[in-house]
Amino acid sequence: AVPGKTYQLDALVVGAGFGGIYMLHKLRNELGLDAVAIDRAGGVGGTWFWNKYPGALSDSESFVYQYSFDRDLYEQTPWNTKYVPQAEILAYLNGVVDRYDLREHVRLETGMTEAEFDEASGTWTVRTDRGVTFQSRFLVTGLGLLSATNLPKFPGMETFAGRLVHTGAWPEDLDLAGKRVGVIGNGSTGNQVITATAPVAAHLTSFQRTPQYSVPAGNRQLTAQEHRAHRENFEANWEQVKNSSVAMGFEESAVPTFSVSPQERERIYQRTWEEGGGFRFMFETFSDIATDQDANEEAAKFIRRKIAEIVTDPETRRKLTPTDLYARRPLCDSGFYETFNRPNVSLVNVKENPIESVTEQGIVTADGTLHELDVLICATGFDAVDGNYVRVNIRGRDGETLKEHWADGPTSYLGMATSGFPNMFMILGPNGPFTNLPPSIETQVEWISETISHVLTSGTGWIEAKSETESDWTETCSDIAHQTLFPQAASWIFGANIPGKKRTVMFYLGGIKQYRSILADEASNKYPNFATDADILTPA
Ligand code: NA7
């Protein structure tokens, strides 16, 4: 691509992760469109390109953490562990790019800076930080749900003489062996990076604001028999996934917590604890952990008892034990609580003893202690879901930016379309399904592809979600979310992790089965909730 030049396309895909790669394949190889993908990263893979921190692992089980659209690809994927480490997922995605001859159609180190829709020509103009401009009829964004990094601001941070890194932009040259390492954050990422780093670091200090509930992941080699069964049961397994709620490859429980005896309850928790899996513990044990306060507390108590059994030092145990609801994104680990029994690991509760400043040598806490560090790792999460959308200027039909459109919180129809932004489709946009992501990504990409095909064949110039439909969908998502306990816990799922960010509902918690059926209805009824250019431009 030549800087200063404008390229004409049928479709531009922004982002080359799980979503963008499949989208590009659909647009080019199935619809035969002139389509290109751009990505700000130096390689394809999205999340799995950026998050190269030690211990990075998908905690959806490997047999469902893949594409399902190509059975041969599935047969050939050599994953033999229950969960897949980052490097293997990245290699897989690179393999997919080559398998479908997509590499020459991906422009790397090319970030979208601005996009603007022109009503007269019915095209998007997308400018990039490379000076290259694209003009395209369709714009599909797969900017990443968890991609815009959140870096906390502590006084003096810029004076730190060691390495300061965020897990979501991990430098490949960083060796933690023998280093004094500090980790701020203990969500899914912090949990993994702490557990993997403690055995190699000279000393690790974990700075925790809110203790978390975590259960064992139970990662292990799959037996040859399991591996074969996943392949032989391909159709049945994916059918199950697509007709479930969280798309994790197991049947969600229909049994309420207090419908069984205390002994039976304990047996079910214990069985799942031994098998492993955060989503399994929350959704496969009992049906009401995420919706009923008492059921939630019962599950939380079990995990607290486990923490008490694992952690030997009483003060450390106290700091590690959560007392609030078990209603954030469920975590699982490979020995997280055990890590705090190591002599080279210490724990600071930053609610009790806040970080006052960062100096050349390390972190100073309120009690006056200087925690000397060679490396400071921020596992502090992301400006999730809409973060990457409001960091660039995306200007729709009326000149309104998406940021302005979302001033009261991000909205969409189906997590993919938003009114005033014609022929633009988001993969994992706000108010999409909350699931194991590859099945939802596939669902969305396939629907977007079908919708683009509909626009191409229907004689329409462009379509966009109707404004009232968008309001209804937002309300639906909010109603469903408020039937659960999730909104009561401060987490990224509701935008509660970013200082100053408005707390809103950002997911459709109705499950993938229901979601897929709504999508199918929309398409088979010829898009009743979308308006066309003719509807909008022709005066009544
Ligand atoms: P999360 O889940 O948002 O966790 C971020 C962690 O960082 C969490 O422990 C936060 O504490 C902590 N944090 C954030 N800002 C600060 C400040 N300023 N001071 C101290 N501690 C802070 O991000 P992850 O990367 O772990 O996981 C995101 C998703 O990626 C995950 O759910 C998976 O789906 C994959 P808090 O709990 O807010 O008190």
Side-chain angles (χ1 to χ4, degrees):
V2 181
K5 206 174 154 188
T6 299
Y7 293 83
Q8 306 292 331
L9 297 171
D10 297 322
L12 180 71
V13 179
V14 186
F18 251 105
I21 291 170
Y22 185 33
M23 193 75 242
L24 189 62
H25 167 57
K26 283 293 231 189
L27 295 170
R28 290 199 64 85
N29 301 332
E30 278 186 36
L31 298 188
L33 299 181
D34 186 8
V36 159
I38 59 172
D39 198 297
R40 68 188 169 93
V44 301
T47 287
W48 301 106
F49 173 87
W50 292 102
N51 285 271
K52 290 178 176 145
Y53 61 84
L57 180 84
S58 163
D59 61 14
S60 302
E61 290 178 35
S62 54
F63 79 109
V64 293
Y65 199 79
Q66 311 188 29
Y67 294 119
S68 70
F69 69 86
D70 177 345
R71 188 165 183 166
D72 287 338
L73 169 69
Y74 194 83
E75 299 272 347
Q76 291 164 27
T77 301
W79 293 344
N80 280 315
T81 45
K82 189 170 165 193
Y83 303 95
V84 213
Q86 171 273 332
E88 289 183 34
I89 304 172
L90 186 59
Y92 167 77
L93 291 173
N94 271 286
V96 171
V97 166
D98 291 331
R99 179 180 176 91
Y100 304 108
D101 296 322
L102 300 173
R103 202 166 288 278
E104 61 173 309
H105 308 293
V106 181
R107 311 268 176 274
L108 296 171
E109 294 178 333
T110 306
M112 169 172 72
T113 52
E114 258 179 345
E116 196 175 355
F117 186 76
D118 174 47
E119 208 171 74
S121 62
T123 56
W124 282 96
T125 299
V126 175
R127 281 178 260 281
T128 68
D129 53 11
R130 277 278 173 133
V132 177
T133 302
F134 296 95
Q135 244 163 22
S136 173
R137 184 164 171 200
F138 298 98
L139 174 62
V140 185
T141 52
L143 304 189
L145 197 65
L146 294 153
S147 149
T149 54
N150 167 47
L151 200 65
K153 290 184 185 72
F154 294 110
M157 226 156 160
E158 65 294 342
T159 63
F160 182 55
R163 289 287 289 272
L164 172 68
V165 294
H166 188 285
T167 46
W170 193 263
E172 295 194 35
D173 67 333
L174 182 57
D175 180 8
L176 298 172
K179 302 269 165 55
R180 295 165 304 175
V181 178
V183 181
I184 304 177
N186 53 304
S188 305
T189 305
N191 179 313
Q192 292 184 339
V193 80
I194 289 166
T195 308
T197 302
V200 301
H203 191 89
L204 185 143
T205 310
S206 164
F207 297 88
Q208 303 195 8
R209 190 163 65 182
T210 316
Q212 289 253 34
Y213 297 98
S214 181
V215 307
N219 198 15
R220 57 172 172 81
Q221 288 292 123
L222 294 173
T223 64
Q225 202 179 0
E226 284 171 314
H227 196 59
R228 205 169 41 246
H230 289 153
R231 271 137 190 76
E232 281 167 7
N233 301 332
F234 178 89
E235 270 157 27
N237 284 348
W238 286 106
E239 199 52 28
Q240 191 282 327
V241 166
K242 289 169 185 172
N243 286 295
S244 70
S245 177
V246 292
M248 286 279 173
F250 60 79
E251 210 69 60
E252 287 98 7
S253 172
V255 179
T257 300
F258 297 105
S259 68
V260 303
S261 69
Q263 295 76 14
E264 176 64 1
R265 218 159 34 236
E266 187 72 11
R267 193 189 65 76
I268 291 173
Y269 292 141
Q270 181 63 31
R271 188 188 60 198
T272 309
W273 178 273
E274 283 163 20
E275 180 176 0
F279 279 81
R280 278 189 193 269
F281 196 84
M282 191 180 267
F283 295 105
E284 195 189 29
T285 51
F286 294 103
S287 60
D288 50 0
I289 294 178
T291 50
D292 179 272
Q293 194 101 27
D294 295 332
N296 189 275
E297 175 59 17
E298 197 69 5
K301 268 191 208 150
F302 178 88
I303 301 177
R304 285 187 215 121
R305 277 205 302 279
K306 291 292 183 187
I307 300 172
E309 285 167 22
I310 296 168
V311 184
T312 48
D313 174 59
E315 181 60 6
T316 307
R317 191 188 310 144
R318 181 188 67 78
K319 289 184 194 162
L320 277 172
T321 305
T323 52
D324 51 356
L325 276 177
Y326 174 40
R328 295 167 144 213
R329 195 265 197 211
L331 305 190
C332 60
D333 65 80
S334 302
F336 175 70
Y337 298 121
E338 288 83 348
T339 298
F340 292 86
N341 289 335
R342 298 179 62 94
N344 71 331
V345 173
S346 40
L347 173 58
V348 177
N349 175 324
V350 300
K351 261 186 200 148
E352 293 169 2
N353 185 17
I355 296 174
E356 295 259 283
S357 64
V358 179
T359 68
E360 211 179 307
Q361 292 108 333
I363 286 183
V364 181
T365 43
D367 63 354
T369 310
L370 166 66
H371 306 266
E372 288 187 47
L373 303 173
D374 303 309
V375 181
L376 175 53
I377 299 173
C378 291
T380 42
F382 303 89
D383 185 355
V385 187
D386 61 327
N388 271 335
Y389 284 89
V390 298
R391 288 178 186 201
V392 288
N393 276 323
I394 302 177
R395 212 172 274 282
R397 195 162 48 76
D398 294 327
E400 187 188 42
T401 63
L402 205 49
K403 191 176 174 171
E404 288 159 356
H405 187 61
W406 288 348
D408 295 327
T411 57
S412 78
Y413 178 46
L414 307 173
M416 293 187 278
T418 185
S419 68
F421 296 79
N423 282 1
M424 172 178 150
F425 300 99
M426 300 174 283
I427 304 167
L428 302 183
N431 287 341
F434 184 76
T435 66
N436 167 38
L437 291 174
S440 283
I441 287 171
E442 273 195 337
T443 297
Q444 293 190 330
V445 167
E446 284 161 13
W447 188 87
I448 291 168
S449 178
E450 191 182 345
T451 304
I452 288 178
S453 174
H454 162 81
V455 174
L456 289 169
T457 52
S458 66
T460 314
W462 41 264
I463 62 166
E464 65 173 56
K466 291 180 182 165
S467 168
E468 60 273 23
T469 300
E470 186 168 342
S471 308
D472 290 349
W473 182 253
T474 306
E475 214 174 290
T476 299
C477 292
S478 171
D479 288 348
I480 298 173
H482 287 96
Q483 290 165 26
T484 75
L485 299 169
F486 285 109
Q488 294 178 39
S491 76
W492 64 263
I493 301 173
F494 294 89
N497 63 325
I498 301 294
K501 186 166 176 169
K502 199 173 161 27
R503 259 206 207 200
T504 51
V505 172
M506 293 213 275
F507 285 96
Y508 170 75
L509 300 182
I512 193 169
K513 176 184 183 183
Q514 188 61 24
Y515 180 73
R516 286 176 63 89
S517 119
I518 298 168
L519 261 52
D521 284 350
E522 185 67 37
S524 65
N525 293 323
K526 300 276 178 276
Y527 304 91
N529 291 300
F530 284 78
T532 66
D533 52 338
D535 300 334
I536 289 170
L537 300 178
T538 314

